[in-house]
Amino acid sequence: LPDGCKQTNYKSNGNYLYVDVKPAQNAYISLALYTDQTCTSLYTGTDYDAYTAAGTSSDDMATFNTLLNGYRTCQPCVAYDL
């Protein structure tokens, strides 16, 4: 996963694109491309893939999300034996 908003080698309209995590429905995360260096404006084009830009795959992200399934149900902190 990217460690914050990172510039890619991809360009759109002469400007670099950036990659970072993106919140998804049901407490999942995905990756997305952004048009600004603070990763607040989503890239809406289809020429580039965020997973390739981050050096990972959607399968890797699916595995990561699956590993977090145990934490998706809200429970009191005492329910976890940390």
Side-chain angles (χ1 to χ4, degrees):
L1 295 175
D3 183 21
C5 187
K6 300 291 182 189
Q7 181 178 306
T8 70
N9 292 325
Y10 301 147
K11 284 188 175 184
S12 177
N13 297 324
N15 298 312
Y16 282 105
L17 295 176
Y18 299 82
V19 65
D20 200 1
V21 294
K22 176 185 172 195
Q25 193 171 18
N26 296 321
Y28 285 84
I29 61 170
S30 62
L31 295 177
L33 291 171
Y34 298 88
T35 58
D36 64 312
Q37 57 187 286
T38 57
C39 290
T40 55
S41 298
L42 279 172
Y43 168 68
T44 56
T46 57
D47 295 330
Y48 306 109
D49 177 63
Y51 294 96
T52 303
T56 190
S57 70
S58 58
D59 289 340
D60 290 341
M61 184 60 72
T63 300
F64 179 81
N65 279 312
T66 298
L67 292 172
L68 294 177
N69 279 341
Y71 299 98
R72 294 196 202 298
T73 303
C74 293
Q75 299 177 20
C77 293
V78 295
Y80 295 101
D81 185 18
L82 302 174

